[in-house]
Amino acid sequence: MNFSIRQAKVEDLDKIYELETLCFKDPYPKNLLYILFSLYPELFLVTETGNKIVGYVSGLVRRDGYGHIVSICIHPDYRRKGLGTAMMYTIEKILKENFGVCRYRLEVRVSNEAAIKLYHKLGYRIVKTIPKYYLDNEDAYLMIKDTC
Ligand SMILES: CC(C)(COP(=O)(O)OP(=O)(O)OC[C@H]1O[C@@H](n2cnc3c(N)ncnc32)[C@H](O)[C@@H]1OP(=O)(O)O)[C@@H](O)C(=O)NCCC(=O)NCCS
């Protein structure tokens, strides 16, 4: 499948919010997506096939120097085609080259087997469980990848 990854534009945010509601039962509100986009536009990426946006990833740089992958979402019809992997590699590369980051972190629901498998494959490891991290009280795993 042909696809490309590029920085998001402000006019993509409606489409990104639509994707967000398809991916998560507790989607980020549109204004939070806008804040993430405004804070780190270089770290807010979309993937397109044809002219259709089918995924996004967003991140930020924490004060402790970690690159934080805040959210990743691939349209259900376009999963298991390597897009999630490509998005993760791309955001890690930008974090490294543009921000000098070599440590990455993220939180994931303990029940989210698909995402946990993806992150393990990419070299992330579970370092702790954060109790009741999500609004519905589900725990999160904190996962870290250290390439320093
Ligand atoms: C998690 C997610 C981003 C993965 O995206 P994707 O494009 O399907 O991922 P990839 O095709 O790159 O998959 C890479 C590997 O991850 C693992 N994986 C991905 N989805 C999986 C699934 N449903 N079941 C088991 N393993 C899975 C596999 O090891 C896969 O390699 P393989 O297809 O060669 O077996 C996607 O499922 C998604 O958007 N989920 C909803 C949102 C979400 O949970 N985001 C993460 C929040 S922390």
Side-chain angles (χ1 to χ4, degrees):
M1 191 183 55
N2 280 334
F3 65 90
S4 56
I5 296 174
R6 63 165 172 81
Q7 206 173 301
K9 302 175 196 155
V10 71
E11 55 266 33
D12 297 328
L13 283 170
D14 283 347
K15 183 66 207 172
I16 290 167
Y17 178 68
E18 229 178 84
L19 274 177
E20 176 77 8
T21 61
L22 286 176
C23 281
F24 298 104
K25 59 183 174 189
D26 53 349
Y28 284 151
K30 216 184 267 184
N31 62 350
L32 182 54
L33 293 172
Y34 180 73
I35 290 168
L36 287 167
F37 167 78
S38 307
L39 278 176
Y40 283 100
E42 305 94 324
L43 299 175
F44 206 120
L45 310 175
V46 293
T47 185
E48 284 182 312
T49 173
N51 276 334
K52 189 177 172 192
I53 293 176
V54 295
Y56 89 90
V57 64
S58 81
L60 51 81
V61 182
R62 290 166 49 101
R63 287 204 184 142
D64 60 10
Y66 275 84
H68 192 164
I69 313 302
V70 177
S71 187
I72 179 166
C73 153
I74 303 295
H75 188 290
D77 294 346
Y78 292 86
R79 290 182 189 162
R80 298 306 283 271
K81 298 177 192 303
L83 294 180
T85 303
M87 298 288 276
M88 288 293 292
Y89 277 136
T90 305
I91 196 168
E92 286 177 1
K93 187 166 184 276
I94 295 169
L95 278 162
K96 184 162 220 150
E97 290 178 359
N98 295 18
F99 297 93
V101 162
C102 57
R103 292 188 178 94
Y104 311 92
R105 58 173 277 164
L106 53 85
E107 293 86 20
V108 58
R109 283 179 182 269
V110 295
S111 64
N112 193 345
E113 287 177 24
I116 292 167
K117 281 197 175 135
L118 165 67
Y119 302 143
H120 270 141
K121 249 189 173 171
L122 292 167
Y124 288 76
R125 63 195 166 84
I126 295 170
V127 292
K128 71 170 177 178
T129 303
I130 309 172
K132 299 184 178 175
Y133 181 78
Y134 295 98
L135 285 178
D136 62 2
N137 283 339
E138 184 170 346
D139 297 349
Y141 289 134
L142 171 64
M143 297 187 76
I144 282 180
K145 175 172 173 176
D146 191 335
T147 66
C148 299

